[in-house]
Amino acid sequence: MAEGKFDNPVVAALTGFYDRFRKQEMAARFKASDNFDGKTILITGATSGLGFALATETAKRGGKVIMGCRGKIPEAGNKVREISGNDNVEMMYLDLTRISSIHDFTDTLQQNNIILDVTILNAASAASRARKTESGLDELFLVNYFANFMLVNLLIKKGIIKGNGATQPRIIFITSDTHRGCSAIDYDEFGRYFDYGVSKAISNYSYFKLVLNTFATELSGRLNKERVTVQVNAICPGPVNTNIIREIPFLARIALRAIFAMIFKTPRKAAQPIIYMACSDDFNDRTNEYMHMFISKKMDEKVYDAAEGLKLWQESEKLWKQVDEKAVMIELN
Ligand SMILES: NC(=O)c1ccc[n+]([C@@H]2O[C@H](COP(=O)([O-])OP(=O)(O)OC[C@H]3O[C@@H](n4cnc5c(N)ncnc54)[C@H](OP(=O)(O)O)[C@@H]3O)[C@@H](O)[C@H]2O)c1
C-alpha cells in the first residue's frame, strides 16, 4: 500500500515548525532587481494562499501573469492587479478535476498564441477523503499528480512551452519536503479509485508529492538530453499559513489554525524562494534542482531512480489513454 509520511496533521504541522528555523542559505542571492520583464508566467491554483501570493509577487516584478483557476474569476485577478499595480494579469478557467477543462485551457492558450516563459504548478487539493471525479479518478490523485502530467504534456505538445527557443522556459513544481520517506510508488493503487478516510488522505498528500517529484525528474531527463532546453525544477515553500487545512476535522483544524497563525510563514514570505527560482539568472542552464525554501537539497533518493521514472511515465501514459480519447504525450525517446 502507498504510504505517505504522516497520517496526523498536527504532527505534520509541528515538523513544519522545526523547518522554519533552518538557515536559508540562498536567500542572500535573491536580488531586488531580479524580474519578469517581458515574460509570461502561468500559476495554477492562484486564487488563494501561496498561489495568490505568487501571482501578486510575479506581477510586482513586471510579469504578464496568467492565473489558472476554477473560481474567484474575476475578483482574485482584480485584487492582484490592485495590490501589484500591474494590469497585465489575466484569469483563465482551469479545473484540474476535469480533464476537458485541461484541454479547453490549453486550447485557449494556443489559440491566443501564448508562449509561457514560466509555468508554476502550484494547485493542490487537500481533500479529507476519497472523492470520485467525473473521469472516475480520485481527486487527490488527479489534482496533486495526474492533472499535472496531462497539463504539462499538453502545454509542450501544443507549443505553449517551447524548448529549443531563444531562452529556456522554466517549469516549477510546488511540492513538499514531506515527500521524503514516503513509500515507493504503488502501481496496484495507481489511478484506481477506492474509498478512504482522513488518515489515508493526509498520508496520500505527501505520497503524491513523491509521485510528482518523480515525474519532474523524468520530465527533466526527457526534455534535456544533451543540454538544458527547458528547466524543470521543484520547490517546497516550507510551512505556510494558508487555507490548506480547510477540510481537516473540526478540533484538529482549530489546533492547526493556531499553530499556522503563530509560527507558519505568510504566503508572501513563503513565495520568495519560488520567485527566486522562477526569475533569477542563477538557474540558467540548471534543471532537476530542488529547493526547500531557500535551501538547495536533494530530493528523496527514490525520485532519482531512472527505472521508476520510466515506469511512472509509462503507467501515466497508459492511464491517460484509458480515461481520455484526446490523450497526447510528448514523444518517448
Ligand atoms: N501550506 C503549506 O504549509 C504548504 C507546505 C508545503 C507545500 N505546500 C504546497 O503549496 C501549494 C499551494 O498550497 P496552499 O498552501 O496555498 O493551499 P491553498 O490555499 O489550499 O491553495 C490551493 C490552491 O489550489 C487550488 N485548487 C485546488 N483544487 C483545484 C482544482 N481542482 N483545480 C484548480 N485549482 C485547484 C485552490 O483553488 P480553490 O480556491 O478553487 O479551491 C487554491 O487556489 C500546494 O501545492 C501545496 O501542496 C503548502
mmCIF file of all heavy atoms in Angstrom, residues 44-52 68-72 94-98 121-126 139 143-144 174-177 205 209 235-246 260 264 267, ligand 1:
data_model
loop_
_atom_site.group_PDB
_atom_site.id
_atom_site.type_symbol
_atom_site.label_atom_id
_atom_site.label_comp_id
_atom_site.label_asym_id
_atom_site.label_seq_id
_atom_site.Cartn_x
_atom_site.Cartn_y
_atom_site.Cartn_z
ATOM 1 N N THR A 44 -0.935 27.986 -11.485
ATOM 2 C CA THR A 44 -2.194 27.270 -11.245
ATOM 3 C C THR A 44 -2.582 27.428 -9.764
ATOM 4 O O THR A 44 -1.711 27.633 -8.912
ATOM 5 C CB THR A 44 -2.085 25.770 -11.611
ATOM 6 O OG1 THR A 44 -1.152 25.133 -10.721
ATOM 7 C CG2 THR A 44 -1.651 25.566 -13.051
ATOM 8 N N GLY A 45 -3.862 27.351 -9.508
ATOM 9 C CA GLY A 45 -4.336 27.474 -8.121
ATOM 10 C C GLY A 45 -3.964 28.814 -7.530
ATOM 11 O O GLY A 45 -3.451 28.897 -6.405
ATOM 12 N N ALA A 46 -4.210 29.898 -8.291
ATOM 13 C CA ALA A 46 -3.725 31.217 -7.872
ATOM 14 C C ALA A 46 -4.787 32.036 -7.149
ATOM 15 O O ALA A 46 -4.622 33.233 -6.963
ATOM 16 C CB ALA A 46 -3.210 31.972 -9.103
ATOM 17 N N THR A 47 -5.876 31.380 -6.700
ATOM 18 C CA THR A 47 -6.939 32.151 -6.045
ATOM 19 C C THR A 47 -6.672 32.390 -4.574
ATOM 20 O O THR A 47 -7.262 33.289 -3.975
ATOM 21 C CB THR A 47 -8.289 31.410 -6.135
ATOM 22 O OG1 THR A 47 -8.070 30.055 -5.743
ATOM 23 C CG2 THR A 47 -8.877 31.505 -7.511
ATOM 24 N N SER A 48 -5.839 31.539 -3.965
ATOM 25 C CA SER A 48 -5.676 31.693 -2.518
ATOM 26 C C SER A 48 -4.271 31.296 -2.099
ATOM 27 O O SER A 48 -3.497 30.775 -2.908
ATOM 28 C CB SER A 48 -6.703 30.825 -1.767
ATOM 29 O OG SER A 48 -6.335 29.470 -1.847
ATOM 30 N N GLY A 49 -3.975 31.532 -0.829
ATOM 31 C CA GLY A 49 -2.737 31.046 -0.223
ATOM 32 C C GLY A 49 -1.496 31.406 -1.015
ATOM 33 O O GLY A 49 -1.310 32.538 -1.470
ATOM 34 N N LEU A 50 -0.658 30.415 -1.186
ATOM 35 C CA LEU A 50 0.631 30.612 -1.858
ATOM 36 C C LEU A 50 0.450 31.060 -3.314
ATOM 37 O O LEU A 50 1.171 31.933 -3.794
ATOM 38 C CB LEU A 50 1.397 29.282 -1.800
ATOM 39 C CG LEU A 50 2.822 29.315 -2.289
ATOM 40 C CD1 LEU A 50 3.691 30.223 -1.415
ATOM 41 C CD2 LEU A 50 3.410 27.907 -2.300
ATOM 42 N N GLY A 51 -0.512 30.457 -4.019
ATOM 43 C CA GLY A 51 -0.722 30.779 -5.441
ATOM 44 C C GLY A 51 -1.086 32.237 -5.638
ATOM 45 O O GLY A 51 -0.592 32.895 -6.560
ATOM 46 N N PHE A 52 -1.933 32.761 -4.762
ATOM 47 C CA PHE A 52 -2.322 34.169 -4.857
ATOM 48 C C PHE A 52 -1.103 35.061 -4.606
ATOM 49 O O PHE A 52 -0.866 36.040 -5.318
ATOM 50 C CB PHE A 52 -3.445 34.474 -3.860
ATOM 51 C CG PHE A 52 -3.901 35.894 -3.903
ATOM 52 C CD1 PHE A 52 -4.786 36.316 -4.887
ATOM 53 C CD2 PHE A 52 -3.425 36.822 -2.990
ATOM 54 C CE1 PHE A 52 -5.188 37.643 -4.951
ATOM 55 C CE2 PHE A 52 -3.815 38.150 -3.053
ATOM 56 C CZ PHE A 52 -4.706 38.562 -4.029
ATOM 57 N N GLY A 68 -4.399 30.452 -13.552
ATOM 58 C CA GLY A 68 -5.246 29.319 -13.952
ATOM 59 C C GLY A 68 -6.046 28.874 -12.744
ATOM 60 O O GLY A 68 -5.498 28.276 -11.822
ATOM 61 N N CYS A 69 -7.362 29.162 -12.726
ATOM 62 C CA CYS A 69 -8.157 28.976 -11.508
ATOM 63 C C CYS A 69 -9.544 28.437 -11.826
ATOM 64 O O CYS A 69 -10.072 28.666 -12.899
ATOM 65 C CB CYS A 69 -8.361 30.315 -10.811
ATOM 66 S SG CYS A 69 -6.839 31.190 -10.467
ATOM 67 N N ARG A 70 -10.146 27.811 -10.833
ATOM 68 C CA ARG A 70 -11.506 27.293 -11.052
ATOM 69 C C ARG A 70 -12.562 28.167 -10.391
ATOM 70 O O ARG A 70 -13.746 27.825 -10.424
ATOM 71 C CB ARG A 70 -11.619 25.867 -10.542
ATOM 72 C CG ARG A 70 -11.411 25.772 -9.059
ATOM 73 C CD ARG A 70 -11.667 24.398 -8.536
ATOM 74 N NE ARG A 70 -11.299 24.338 -7.138
ATOM 75 C CZ ARG A 70 -11.537 23.312 -6.348
ATOM 76 N NH1 ARG A 70 -12.120 22.253 -6.844
ATOM 77 N NH2 ARG A 70 -11.162 23.329 -5.092
ATOM 78 N N GLY A 71 -12.168 29.244 -9.759
ATOM 79 C CA GLY A 71 -13.139 30.129 -9.107
ATOM 80 C C GLY A 71 -12.569 31.528 -8.931
ATOM 81 O O GLY A 71 -11.480 31.831 -9.407
ATOM 82 N N LYS A 72 -13.352 32.350 -8.250
ATOM 83 C CA LYS A 72 -12.968 33.736 -7.928
ATOM 84 C C LYS A 72 -12.527 34.521 -9.159
ATOM 85 O O LYS A 72 -11.578 35.316 -9.108
ATOM 86 C CB LYS A 72 -11.878 33.761 -6.860
ATOM 87 C CG LYS A 72 -12.341 33.181 -5.526
ATOM 88 C CD LYS A 72 -11.317 33.416 -4.447
ATOM 89 C CE LYS A 72 -11.679 32.642 -3.187
ATOM 90 N NZ LYS A 72 -10.568 32.295 -2.340
ATOM 91 N N LEU A 94 -9.632 27.043 -15.098
ATOM 92 C CA LEU A 94 -8.926 25.751 -15.134
ATOM 93 C C LEU A 94 -9.335 24.946 -13.910
ATOM 94 O O LEU A 94 -8.997 25.295 -12.785
ATOM 95 C CB LEU A 94 -7.400 25.966 -15.133
ATOM 96 C CG LEU A 94 -6.546 24.701 -15.011
ATOM 97 C CD1 LEU A 94 -6.732 23.778 -16.218
ATOM 98 C CD2 LEU A 94 -5.059 25.052 -14.867
ATOM 99 N N ASP A 95 -10.076 23.868 -14.149
ATOM 100 C CA ASP A 95 -10.441 22.961 -13.046
ATOM 101 C C ASP A 95 -9.685 21.656 -13.265
ATOM 102 O O ASP A 95 -9.972 20.914 -14.217
ATOM 103 C CB ASP A 95 -11.961 22.725 -13.036
ATOM 104 C CG ASP A 95 -12.371 21.821 -11.874
ATOM 105 O OD1 ASP A 95 -11.490 21.227 -11.222
ATOM 106 O OD2 ASP A 95 -13.579 21.708 -11.621
ATOM 107 N N LEU A 96 -8.743 21.390 -12.390
ATOM 108 C CA LEU A 96 -7.868 20.222 -12.574
ATOM 109 C C LEU A 96 -8.567 18.895 -12.271
ATOM 110 O O LEU A 96 -7.993 17.839 -12.494
ATOM 111 C CB LEU A 96 -6.601 20.385 -11.731
ATOM 112 C CG LEU A 96 -5.715 21.560 -12.156
ATOM 113 C CD1 LEU A 96 -4.655 21.843 -11.100
ATOM 114 C CD2 LEU A 96 -5.054 21.317 -13.499
ATOM 115 N N THR A 97 -9.794 18.939 -11.759
ATOM 116 C CA THR A 97 -10.523 17.676 -11.586
ATOM 117 C C THR A 97 -11.242 17.284 -12.876
ATOM 118 O O THR A 97 -11.805 16.201 -12.960
ATOM 119 C CB THR A 97 -11.591 17.739 -10.460
ATOM 120 O OG1 THR A 97 -12.526 18.766 -10.790
ATOM 121 C CG2 THR A 97 -10.992 17.983 -9.108
ATOM 122 N N ARG A 98 -11.234 18.191 -13.876
ATOM 123 C CA ARG A 98 -11.950 17.900 -15.120
ATOM 124 C C ARG A 98 -10.981 17.873 -16.297
ATOM 125 O O ARG A 98 -10.374 18.895 -16.627
ATOM 126 C CB ARG A 98 -13.057 18.931 -15.340
ATOM 127 C CG ARG A 98 -14.129 18.843 -14.227
ATOM 128 C CD ARG A 98 -15.221 19.887 -14.371
ATOM 129 N NE ARG A 98 -15.716 19.914 -15.726
ATOM 130 C CZ ARG A 98 -15.695 20.998 -16.497
ATOM 131 N NH1 ARG A 98 -15.215 22.135 -16.046
ATOM 132 N NH2 ARG A 98 -16.165 20.939 -17.714
ATOM 133 N N LEU A 121 3.357 25.144 -11.249
ATOM 134 C CA LEU A 121 2.289 24.179 -10.977
ATOM 135 C C LEU A 121 2.085 24.126 -9.471
ATOM 136 O O LEU A 121 2.735 23.358 -8.757
ATOM 137 C CB LEU A 121 2.667 22.836 -11.593
ATOM 138 C CG LEU A 121 2.782 22.986 -13.120
ATOM 139 C CD1 LEU A 121 3.838 22.086 -13.698
ATOM 140 C CD2 LEU A 121 1.460 22.811 -13.807
ATOM 141 N N ASN A 122 1.198 24.987 -9.018
ATOM 142 C CA ASN A 122 1.027 25.224 -7.583
ATOM 143 C C ASN A 122 -0.229 24.571 -7.010
ATOM 144 O O ASN A 122 -0.248 24.176 -5.844
ATOM 145 C CB ASN A 122 0.964 26.754 -7.362
ATOM 146 C CG ASN A 122 0.409 27.119 -6.004
ATOM 147 O OD1 ASN A 122 1.113 27.016 -4.996
ATOM 148 N ND2 ASN A 122 -0.855 27.528 -5.950
ATOM 149 N N ALA A 123 -1.280 24.430 -7.812
ATOM 150 C CA ALA A 123 -2.577 23.969 -7.281
ATOM 151 C C ALA A 123 -2.443 22.611 -6.614
ATOM 152 O O ALA A 123 -1.692 21.748 -7.082
ATOM 153 C CB ALA A 123 -3.607 23.885 -8.403
ATOM 154 N N ALA A 124 -3.152 22.430 -5.540
ATOM 155 C CA ALA A 124 -3.187 21.125 -4.878
ATOM 156 C C ALA A 124 -4.512 21.003 -4.141
ATOM 157 O O ALA A 124 -5.077 21.995 -3.687
ATOM 158 C CB ALA A 124 -2.033 20.987 -3.890
ATOM 159 N N SER A 125 -4.969 19.777 -4.054
ATOM 160 C CA SER A 125 -6.174 19.512 -3.284
ATOM 161 C C SER A 125 -5.759 18.974 -1.915
ATOM 162 O O SER A 125 -4.807 18.209 -1.809
ATOM 163 C CB SER A 125 -7.014 18.461 -4.016
ATOM 164 O OG SER A 125 -7.963 17.898 -3.126
ATOM 165 N N ALA A 126 -6.481 19.384 -0.888
ATOM 166 C CA ALA A 126 -6.265 18.801 0.436
ATOM 167 C C ALA A 126 -7.550 18.116 0.850
ATOM 168 O O ALA A 126 -8.011 18.257 1.987
ATOM 169 C CB ALA A 126 -5.846 19.883 1.421
ATOM 170 N N GLU A 139 -9.862 12.426 -6.627
ATOM 171 C CA GLU A 139 -9.486 13.853 -6.689
ATOM 172 C C GLU A 139 -8.036 14.112 -6.272
ATOM 173 O O GLU A 139 -7.307 14.851 -6.938
ATOM 174 C CB GLU A 139 -10.433 14.669 -5.803
ATOM 175 C CG GLU A 139 -10.064 16.144 -5.793
ATOM 176 C CD GLU A 139 -10.988 16.990 -4.945
ATOM 177 O OE1 GLU A 139 -12.199 16.705 -4.881
ATOM 178 O OE2 GLU A 139 -10.476 17.960 -4.340
ATOM 179 N N VAL A 143 -5.651 15.880 -8.932
ATOM 180 C CA VAL A 143 -5.195 17.277 -8.792
ATOM 181 C C VAL A 143 -3.721 17.338 -8.379
ATOM 182 O O VAL A 143 -2.963 18.165 -8.872
ATOM 183 C CB VAL A 143 -6.080 18.040 -7.773
ATOM 184 C CG1 VAL A 143 -5.582 19.467 -7.578
ATOM 185 C CG2 VAL A 143 -7.527 18.033 -8.229
ATOM 186 N N ASN A 144 -3.309 16.420 -7.487
ATOM 187 C CA ASN A 144 -1.965 16.544 -6.929
ATOM 188 C C ASN A 144 -0.901 15.862 -7.775
ATOM 189 O O ASN A 144 0.286 16.134 -7.605
ATOM 190 C CB ASN A 144 -1.950 16.011 -5.494
ATOM 191 C CG ASN A 144 -2.799 16.902 -4.586
ATOM 192 O OD1 ASN A 144 -3.498 17.786 -5.052
ATOM 193 N ND2 ASN A 144 -2.738 16.663 -3.303
ATOM 194 N N ILE A 174 5.424 22.927 -7.383
ATOM 195 C CA ILE A 174 5.368 23.218 -5.949
ATOM 196 C C ILE A 174 5.095 21.895 -5.234
ATOM 197 O O ILE A 174 4.067 21.249 -5.439
ATOM 198 C CB ILE A 174 4.278 24.255 -5.602
ATOM 199 C CG1 ILE A 174 4.453 25.528 -6.439
ATOM 200 C CG2 ILE A 174 4.305 24.559 -4.098
ATOM 201 C CD1 ILE A 174 5.798 26.231 -6.298
ATOM 202 N N THR A 175 6.050 21.516 -4.408
ATOM 203 C CA THR A 175 5.984 20.208 -3.783
ATOM 204 C C THR A 175 6.079 20.370 -2.268
ATOM 205 O O THR A 175 5.869 21.466 -1.736
ATOM 206 C CB THR A 175 7.098 19.312 -4.369
ATOM 207 O OG1 THR A 175 6.986 18.010 -3.817
ATOM 208 C CG2 THR A 175 8.485 19.866 -4.113
ATOM 209 N N SER A 176 6.387 19.292 -1.598
ATOM 210 C CA SER A 176 6.533 19.383 -0.142
ATOM 211 C C SER A 176 7.683 18.480 0.291
ATOM 212 O O SER A 176 7.841 17.367 -0.242
ATOM 213 C CB SER A 176 5.240 18.926 0.536
ATOM 214 O OG SER A 176 5.485 18.692 1.899
ATOM 215 N N ASP A 177 8.446 18.977 1.251
ATOM 216 C CA ASP A 177 9.560 18.158 1.754
ATOM 217 C C ASP A 177 9.045 16.900 2.450
ATOM 218 O O ASP A 177 9.817 15.974 2.703
ATOM 219 C CB ASP A 177 10.447 18.987 2.691
ATOM 220 C CG ASP A 177 11.896 18.504 2.653
ATOM 221 O OD1 ASP A 177 12.474 18.463 1.552
ATOM 222 O OD2 ASP A 177 12.423 18.115 3.716
ATOM 223 N N TYR A 205 -1.396 12.857 0.632
ATOM 224 C CA TYR A 205 -0.937 14.198 0.252
ATOM 225 C C TYR A 205 0.590 14.195 0.059
ATOM 226 O O TYR A 205 1.098 14.630 -0.977
ATOM 227 C CB TYR A 205 -1.368 15.205 1.319
ATOM 228 C CG TYR A 205 -0.791 16.580 1.117
ATOM 229 C CD1 TYR A 205 -1.347 17.474 0.214
ATOM 230 C CD2 TYR A 205 0.357 16.978 1.810
ATOM 231 C CE1 TYR A 205 -0.798 18.731 0.011
ATOM 232 C CE2 TYR A 205 0.914 18.223 1.622
ATOM 233 C CZ TYR A 205 0.335 19.093 0.722
ATOM 234 O OH TYR A 205 0.899 20.331 0.526
ATOM 235 N N LYS A 209 3.181 13.902 -3.550
ATOM 236 C CA LYS A 209 4.300 14.816 -3.812
ATOM 237 C C LYS A 209 5.534 14.001 -4.246
ATOM 238 O O LYS A 209 6.296 14.437 -5.096
ATOM 239 C CB LYS A 209 4.624 15.665 -2.580
ATOM 240 C CG LYS A 209 3.524 16.656 -2.191
ATOM 241 C CD LYS A 209 3.280 17.723 -3.249
ATOM 242 C CE LYS A 209 2.389 18.848 -2.745
ATOM 243 N NZ LYS A 209 1.987 19.804 -3.793
ATOM 244 N N ILE A 235 10.170 22.785 -5.807
ATOM 245 C CA ILE A 235 10.470 23.536 -4.583
ATOM 246 C C ILE A 235 9.370 23.340 -3.548
ATOM 247 O O ILE A 235 8.189 23.305 -3.886
ATOM 248 C CB ILE A 235 10.675 25.055 -4.903
ATOM 249 C CG1 ILE A 235 10.996 25.847 -3.636
ATOM 250 C CG2 ILE A 235 9.510 25.660 -5.655
ATOM 251 C CD1 ILE A 235 11.596 27.230 -3.909
ATOM 252 N N CYS A 236 9.806 23.202 -2.309
ATOM 253 C CA CYS A 236 8.863 23.167 -1.177
ATOM 254 C C CYS A 236 8.917 24.534 -0.489
ATOM 255 O O CYS A 236 10.005 24.981 -0.120
ATOM 256 C CB CYS A 236 9.251 22.076 -0.178
ATOM 257 S SG CYS A 236 8.346 22.218 1.384
ATOM 258 N N PRO A 237 7.773 25.179 -0.317
ATOM 259 C CA PRO A 237 7.788 26.515 0.313
ATOM 260 C C PRO A 237 8.002 26.496 1.813
ATOM 261 O O PRO A 237 8.098 27.548 2.443
ATOM 262 C CB PRO A 237 6.385 27.044 -0.015
ATOM 263 C CG PRO A 237 5.531 25.813 -0.090
ATOM 264 C CD PRO A 237 6.418 24.736 -0.658
ATOM 265 N N GLY A 238 8.056 25.298 2.424
ATOM 266 C CA GLY A 238 8.099 25.226 3.886
ATOM 267 C C GLY A 238 6.697 25.464 4.430
ATOM 268 O O GLY A 238 5.723 25.513 3.672
ATOM 269 N N PRO A 239 6.589 25.600 5.758
ATOM 270 C CA PRO A 239 5.254 25.761 6.359
ATOM 271 C C PRO A 239 4.647 27.138 6.076
ATOM 272 O O PRO A 239 5.278 28.150 6.376
ATOM 273 C CB PRO A 239 5.538 25.591 7.851
ATOM 274 C CG PRO A 239 6.986 25.899 8.019
ATOM 275 C CD PRO A 239 7.681 25.599 6.731
ATOM 276 N N VAL A 240 3.456 27.156 5.508
ATOM 277 C CA VAL A 240 2.830 28.423 5.111
ATOM 278 C C VAL A 240 1.426 28.514 5.712
ATOM 279 O O VAL A 240 0.662 27.540 5.668
ATOM 280 C CB VAL A 240 2.661 28.527 3.570
ATOM 281 C CG1 VAL A 240 2.453 29.983 3.176
ATOM 282 C CG2 VAL A 240 3.808 27.901 2.813
ATOM 283 N N ASN A 241 1.102 29.682 6.208
ATOM 284 C CA ASN A 241 -0.216 29.902 6.805
ATOM 285 C C ASN A 241 -1.255 30.139 5.708
ATOM 286 O O ASN A 241 -1.480 31.265 5.280
ATOM 287 C CB ASN A 241 -0.143 31.106 7.749
ATOM 288 C CG ASN A 241 -1.458 31.334 8.460
ATOM 289 O OD1 ASN A 241 -2.362 30.492 8.411
ATOM 290 N ND2 ASN A 241 -1.587 32.477 9.115
ATOM 291 N N THR A 242 -1.857 29.047 5.234
ATOM 292 C CA THR A 242 -2.860 29.123 4.167
ATOM 293 C C THR A 242 -4.104 28.355 4.605
ATOM 294 O O THR A 242 -4.167 27.831 5.713
ATOM 295 C CB THR A 242 -2.345 28.483 2.860
ATOM 296 O OG1 THR A 242 -2.228 27.070 3.072
ATOM 297 C CG2 THR A 242 -1.015 29.062 2.432
ATOM 298 N N ASN A 243 -4.999 28.204 3.670
ATOM 299 C CA ASN A 243 -6.263 27.534 3.961
ATOM 300 C C ASN A 243 -6.210 26.047 3.590
ATOM 301 O O ASN A 243 -7.258 25.417 3.419
ATOM 302 C CB ASN A 243 -7.358 28.252 3.160
ATOM 303 C CG ASN A 243 -8.693 28.128 3.818
ATOM 304 O OD1 ASN A 243 -8.771 27.752 4.997
ATOM 305 N ND2 ASN A 243 -9.742 28.390 3.074
ATOM 306 N N ILE A 244 -5.014 25.494 3.482
ATOM 307 C CA ILE A 244 -4.871 24.120 3.011
ATOM 308 C C ILE A 244 -5.523 23.098 3.953
ATOM 309 O O ILE A 244 -5.854 21.986 3.543
ATOM 310 C CB ILE A 244 -3.377 23.793 2.759
ATOM 311 C CG1 ILE A 244 -3.266 22.562 1.851
ATOM 312 C CG2 ILE A 244 -2.586 23.621 4.036
ATOM 313 C CD1 ILE A 244 -2.087 22.545 0.953
ATOM 314 N N ILE A 245 -5.734 23.515 5.191
ATOM 315 C CA ILE A 245 -6.322 22.587 6.175
ATOM 316 C C ILE A 245 -7.847 22.710 6.244
ATOM 317 O O ILE A 245 -8.468 22.226 7.184
ATOM 318 C CB ILE A 245 -5.719 22.840 7.576
ATOM 319 C CG1 ILE A 245 -5.741 24.335 7.870
ATOM 320 C CG2 ILE A 245 -4.332 22.251 7.685
ATOM 321 C CD1 ILE A 245 -5.431 24.676 9.301
ATOM 322 N N ARG A 246 -8.449 23.334 5.235
ATOM 323 C CA ARG A 246 -9.883 23.646 5.333
ATOM 324 C C ARG A 246 -10.766 22.418 5.551
ATOM 325 O O ARG A 246 -11.845 22.533 6.105
ATOM 326 C CB ARG A 246 -10.367 24.423 4.098
ATOM 327 C CG ARG A 246 -10.139 23.723 2.782
ATOM 328 C CD ARG A 246 -10.815 24.476 1.642
ATOM 329 N NE ARG A 246 -10.038 25.540 1.029
ATOM 330 C CZ ARG A 246 -8.981 25.391 0.236
ATOM 331 N NH1 ARG A 246 -8.517 24.194 -0.026
ATOM 332 N NH2 ARG A 246 -8.370 26.417 -0.298
ATOM 333 N N PHE A 260 -0.642 27.442 12.748
ATOM 334 C CA PHE A 260 -0.363 28.122 11.475
ATOM 335 C C PHE A 260 -0.198 29.626 11.691
ATOM 336 O O PHE A 260 0.735 30.243 11.186
ATOM 337 C CB PHE A 260 -1.517 27.874 10.487
ATOM 338 C CG PHE A 260 -1.365 26.630 9.649
ATOM 339 C CD1 PHE A 260 -0.936 25.437 10.201
ATOM 340 C CD2 PHE A 260 -1.649 26.652 8.289
ATOM 341 C CE1 PHE A 260 -0.803 24.295 9.431
ATOM 342 C CE2 PHE A 260 -1.512 25.516 7.494
ATOM 343 C CZ PHE A 260 -1.096 24.333 8.076
ATOM 344 N N PHE A 264 3.738 29.699 11.319
ATOM 345 C CA PHE A 264 3.984 29.468 9.898
ATOM 346 C C PHE A 264 4.229 30.803 9.186
ATOM 347 O O PHE A 264 3.824 31.852 9.645
ATOM 348 C CB PHE A 264 2.797 28.725 9.268
ATOM 349 C CG PHE A 264 2.833 27.227 9.499
ATOM 350 C CD1 PHE A 264 3.463 26.671 10.592
ATOM 351 C CD2 PHE A 264 2.226 26.371 8.596
ATOM 352 C CE1 PHE A 264 3.493 25.296 10.806
ATOM 353 C CE2 PHE A 264 2.254 24.991 8.786
ATOM 354 C CZ PHE A 264 2.880 24.453 9.888
ATOM 355 N N PRO A 267 2.009 33.712 3.266
ATOM 356 C CA PRO A 267 2.176 33.302 1.863
ATOM 357 C C PRO A 267 3.167 34.201 1.109
ATOM 358 O O PRO A 267 3.960 33.735 0.301
ATOM 359 C CB PRO A 267 0.761 33.422 1.292
ATOM 360 C CG PRO A 267 -0.133 33.198 2.474
ATOM 361 C CD PRO A 267 0.584 33.805 3.640
HETATM 362 N N1 LIG B 1 0.573 25.445 3.212
HETATM 363 C C1 LIG B 1 1.698 24.761 3.450
HETATM 364 O O1 LIG B 1 2.192 24.699 4.600
HETATM 365 C C2 LIG B 1 2.406 24.035 2.324
HETATM 366 C C3 LIG B 1 3.591 23.349 2.602
HETATM 367 C C4 LIG B 1 4.257 22.679 1.566
HETATM 368 C C5 LIG B 1 3.729 22.729 0.288
HETATM 369 N N2 LIG B 1 2.583 23.410 0.028
HETATM 370 C C6 LIG B 1 2.080 23.412 -1.360
HETATM 371 O O2 LIG B 1 1.831 24.755 -1.772
HETATM 372 C C7 LIG B 1 0.834 24.753 -2.813
HETATM 373 C C8 LIG B 1 -0.241 25.753 -2.522
HETATM 374 O O3 LIG B 1 -0.955 25.348 -1.357
HETATM 375 P P1 LIG B 1 -1.582 26.375 -0.315
HETATM 376 O O4 LIG B 1 -1.000 26.057 0.999
HETATM 377 O O5 LIG B 1 -1.515 27.756 -0.844
HETATM 378 O O6 LIG B 1 -3.090 25.836 -0.266
HETATM 379 P P2 LIG B 1 -4.485 26.517 -0.635
HETATM 380 O O7 LIG B 1 -4.615 27.852 -0.015
HETATM 381 O O8 LIG B 1 -5.475 25.469 -0.298
HETATM 382 O O9 LIG B 1 -4.414 26.725 -2.219
HETATM 383 C C9 LIG B 1 -4.588 25.675 -3.120
HETATM 384 C C10 LIG B 1 -4.968 26.241 -4.467
HETATM 385 O O10 LIG B 1 -5.177 25.125 -5.361
HETATM 386 C C11 LIG B 1 -6.424 25.312 -5.984
HETATM 387 N N3 LIG B 1 -7.087 24.082 -6.402
HETATM 388 C C12 LIG B 1 -7.499 23.053 -5.628
HETATM 389 N N4 LIG B 1 -8.147 22.147 -6.375
HETATM 390 C C13 LIG B 1 -8.146 22.632 -7.641
HETATM 391 C C14 LIG B 1 -8.680 22.173 -8.860
HETATM 392 N N5 LIG B 1 -9.401 21.060 -8.941
HETATM 393 N N6 LIG B 1 -8.483 22.897 -9.983
HETATM 394 C C15 LIG B 1 -7.806 24.056 -9.930
HETATM 395 N N7 LIG B 1 -7.294 24.562 -8.796
HETATM 396 C C16 LIG B 1 -7.474 23.849 -7.659
HETATM 397 C C17 LIG B 1 -7.278 26.040 -4.954
HETATM 398 O O11 LIG B 1 -8.379 26.641 -5.600
HETATM 399 P P3 LIG B 1 -9.820 26.787 -4.878
HETATM 400 O O12 LIG B 1 -9.695 28.027 -4.070
HETATM 401 O O13 LIG B 1 -10.763 26.885 -6.030
HETATM 402 O O14 LIG B 1 -10.026 25.548 -4.047
HETATM 403 C C18 LIG B 1 -6.266 27.041 -4.415
HETATM 404 O O15 LIG B 1 -6.159 28.158 -5.246
HETATM 405 C C19 LIG B 1 0.334 23.302 -2.894
HETATM 406 O O16 LIG B 1 0.979 22.635 -3.962
HETATM 407 C C20 LIG B 1 0.741 22.716 -1.566
HETATM 408 O O17 LIG B 1 0.887 21.330 -1.620
HETATM 409 C C21 LIG B 1 1.890 24.066 1.013
#
